[in-house]
Amino acid sequence: MKMKEEIRAILIDNAIHLIATGGFEMATTKNLAHYSETTINFKMNEVYIYRLFGSKEELYQAAFLSLDEELVQAFRNALVSDLDNFVLNTKKEFYKFFLKAWEFLLKNEERCRCYVRYYYSIYFKDKALECHQQNFNSIVEKFSMLFIEEANVKAIMHSIFTTLLDFAIRVYNGELANDEENRPHVFNVLYCMLLTYLKRPDVSDIEKLQKRVL
């Protein structure tokens, strides 16, 4: 049982690395079985993929869902324990949340590259959408108290989530510097997406941010 768990973990790590660095074309059954940075005392082969996952596509799914839980947990950890602070100081508290989430993404380039590639792949909708939505609901529930009743909080938070990931990819690719000028800009783009639906938006903030972003 312990060996099975170890092999399973190695194959998931292999999938994450290969998808992140070379896309799904690199993540063949042969490469999945034989690439590993981990020292192991047994011979890996492709049979393990089918025994433990059923197919390489199911292995891709397992890798993504592992990352999904990790990323959603990181976003939950970035939240303050008392969300009443958000109601009283929404912009300030959201900026704290943003900085923690942003730091996590930039420290985990390979894992986030794999996540984004799967998220925008043909596999996501068929294989992982339902589980992702279940995982993501915990974030939606946390933030719901900040929004007006008619707001589609799930759609808003997904927009924030994907936009943040897209900005992180731009940093990885060298298209955007992670500096004192660009971090506030990224935050302002995200915060501007929220303002129309917040319970207590600051009108002056809305006008300033819209001018800055547009």
Side-chain angles (χ1 to χ4, degrees):
M1 182 62 71
K2 185 177 180 181
M3 182 174 287
K4 276 188 176 182
E5 292 175 359
E6 186 177 354
I7 296 172
R8 181 181 174 85
I10 289 171
L11 287 171
I12 286 176
D13 285 343
N14 289 355
I16 291 169
H17 172 78
L18 292 167
I19 293 170
T21 56
F24 293 98
E25 290 181 2
M26 281 290 293
T28 62
T29 53
K30 181 178 180 180
N31 287 341
L32 287 165
H34 296 290
Y35 171 82
S36 181
E37 292 183 335
T38 306
T39 302
I40 52 178
N41 57 7
F42 51 84
K43 187 175 182 180
M44 289 279 284
N45 63 63
E46 295 159 60
V47 173
Y48 286 114
I49 295 172
Y50 299 98
R51 285 181 180 172
L52 298 176
F53 299 95
S55 67
K56 68 176 179 180
E57 288 78 15
E58 298 297 325
L59 171 53
Y60 297 161
Q61 177 193 26
F64 173 81
L65 292 177
S66 173
L67 293 177
D68 194 50
E69 291 179 5
E70 182 180 323
L71 189 54
V72 169
Q73 183 61 50
F75 274 53
R76 284 199 299 262
N77 291 343
L79 289 170
V80 293
S81 57
D82 184 3
L83 278 177
D84 288 340
N85 290 331
F86 263 88
V87 177
L88 298 173
N89 304 287
T90 304
K91 184 178 180 181
K92 180 180 178 181
E93 295 301 326
F94 190 75
Y95 189 64
K96 291 179 183 177
F97 165 78
F98 159 75
L99 287 177
K100 291 179 182 177
W102 185 242
E103 182 180 8
F104 175 84
L105 293 179
L106 296 189
K107 284 183 176 179
N108 291 276
E109 177 179 348
E110 183 172 282
R111 301 177 81 75
C112 289
R113 279 191 182 276
C114 175
Y115 186 95
V116 169
R117 281 187 165 154
Y118 190 98
Y119 189 88
Y120 291 110
S121 75
I122 59 175
Y123 303 110
F124 175 70
K125 185 176 181 180
D126 292 336
K127 297 284 188 180
L129 175 59
E130 185 175 347
C131 288
H132 167 71
Q133 289 177 336
Q134 291 174 359
N135 286 337
F136 201 76
N137 281 342
S138 61
I139 296 176
V140 174
E141 289 168 5
K142 281 280 189 180
F143 276 106
S144 290
M145 65 178 291
L146 304 178
F147 295 93
I148 57 178
E149 186 176 345
E150 58 269 32
N152 185 337
V153 180
K154 182 177 287 189
I156 294 168
M157 295 312 300
H158 261 289
S159 295
I160 297 294
F161 185 71
T162 55
T163 301
L164 191 56
L165 286 169
D166 290 343
F167 270 117
I169 292 294
R170 291 179 61 188
V171 174
Y172 303 153
N173 292 341
E175 301 166 8
L176 182 72
N178 178 37
D179 56 26
E180 295 301 323
E181 180 179 351
N182 286 322
R183 274 192 303 275
H185 172 71
V186 174
F187 169 74
N188 286 334
V189 170
L190 300 175
Y191 192 63
C192 197
M193 295 165 67
L194 300 172
L195 284 174
T196 304
Y197 303 99
L198 290 174
K199 285 181 179 177
R200 299 178 60 180
D202 186 318
V203 175
S204 63
D205 271 350
I206 295 176
E207 294 173 350
K208 290 176 184 176
L209 284 172
Q210 285 177 339
K211 288 179 182 178
R212 197 176 301 173
V213 172
L214 298 176

